Amino acid sequence: MQVTLPAALLSPPPARTRWTLLSGLLLLLLATSLFAASTPLSGTPLNDGYYALYNLDFKAAHAHFQQWMTAHPDDPLGPASDAAAFIFNEFDLLGVLDIELFADDNRFTSRTRPAIDPVIKQGFSDRIAQSERLANAALQHNPKDANAFYCLAVTSGMQADWASLIDRHEYGAFKFSETASKYAKQALAIDPNLYDANLAVGIENYMLSLKAAPIRWILGMTGAGTNKAEGVRLLKLTSEKGHYLAPFARLMLAVGELRDGRTQSGKDILIGLSNEFPQNTLYQRQIARLH
């Protein structure tokens, strides 16, 4: 059953809108889950690109992803990954990647927003379009192409983030997120052992569970997941068995711990992430703020 939500219902309280960012940022990394969980974040252009991305080294990430695109021109994963580097860069410039923003909504809404970088915006749009063209072409050839479904989930999730946190268009963000979740579920139906894919569905459940009961009911009629316990279960599953998304799942769990007042457990998770990605000063700054 398809239910179209009025725009007024899609404007969540400030404390909940932060999870919109997380849902899309997780989806934008979803495509890389085709690799085995034991594969380290090094040794291939994609591995190296995502390691650089987690370390906020966007120049290096672009270089690694370009190397992959040159070697695999028909793979939609290449441009989807490069689009991730563009949007992460823009989020970093806007300050929305600072973990504290997820716990301090007044600071998030009152901060001074710099102008959008037009070069980044154009690069992001071009890579999104390129990935979607390649993904749709792949699905024409093979309707069960898991990689193509991943990449469509990725591009939809990134567009949801851009709509919500840059354009501030919550209804558009919801529609993109809805599409991303659909593609992620199709990918899981093909291969339920792609543990990273569970994170997309997990964050959908967690995010939407924070909404008011009437809105949860309406969202449930659309097929959206709204179960908080299920969302946390899938986050933990991804953090334990996932690969590329495992660090992001741990970040999600850390944010949840901090928001629920479990400071020490949240801090412990952040310390582990900081050790794994030493160039990412976001973790270090947040750890320093915790007592």
Side-chain angles (χ1 to χ4, degrees), residues 49-121:
Y50 278 92
Y51 184 79
L53 190 61
Y54 275 118
N55 272 308
L56 306 184
D57 187 349
F58 306 114
K59 183 178 180 179
H62 283 304
H64 291 306
F65 293 143
Q66 182 59 59
Q67 184 181 354
W68 182 266
M69 287 186 285
T70 300
H72 304 84
D74 296 326
D75 185 2
L77 180 55
S81 301
D82 203 41
F86 279 113
I87 195 170
F88 263 75
N89 195 352
E90 185 63 22
F91 283 148
D92 189 44
L93 292 173
L94 293 176
V96 299
L97 288 180
D98 193 321
I99 300 170
E100 188 181 34
L101 297 180
F102 294 104
D104 186 349
D105 298 295
N106 290 329
R107 181 183 167 196
F108 186 92
T109 56
S110 64
R111 76 195 191 285
T112 301
R113 294 170 58 89
I116 297 171
D117 187 323
V119 175
I120 291 179
K121 182 177 182 179

Side-chain angles (χ1 to χ4, degrees), residues 26-27 29-37 77 144-151 153 183-202 233-235 237-246:
L26 295 167
L27 284 168
L29 296 175
L30 184 59
T32 57
S33 61
L34 292 175
F35 294 89
L77 180 55
K144 295 293 186 180
D145 190 317
N147 182 57
F149 281 121
Y150 277 122
C151 292
Y183 286 129
K185 290 173 182 177
Q186 286 177 285
L188 281 168
I190 295 171
D191 187 353
N193 292 321
L194 294 176
Y195 292 107
D196 283 344
N198 288 286
L199 195 53
V201 185
R233 185 187 72 82
L234 293 173
L235 289 177
L237 177 65
T238 309
S239 71
E240 294 169 358
K241 295 189 176 183
H243 175 53
Y244 281 92
L245 293 184

Side-chain angles (χ1 to χ4, degrees), residues 161-184:
D161 285 325
W162 195 285
S164 177
L165 292 163
I166 298 177
D167 294 337
R168 297 191 176 186
H169 190 271
E170 290 299 327
Y171 182 72
F174 172 80
K175 298 306 293 182
F176 278 124
S177 294
E178 184 180 43
T179 301
S181 181
K182 178 189 72 173
Y183 286 129

Side-chain angles (χ1 to χ4, degrees), residues 1-6 9 174-175 178 185 204 208 212-227:
M1 180 177 182
Q2 294 295 318
V3 178
T4 301
L5 298 180
L9 291 180
F174 172 80
K175 298 306 293 182
E178 184 180 43
K185 290 173 182 177
E204 176 190 48
L208 297 184
I215 298 178
R216 291 201 307 273
W217 181 79
I218 295 174
L219 290 170
M221 293 178 65
T222 71
T226 59
N227 187 314

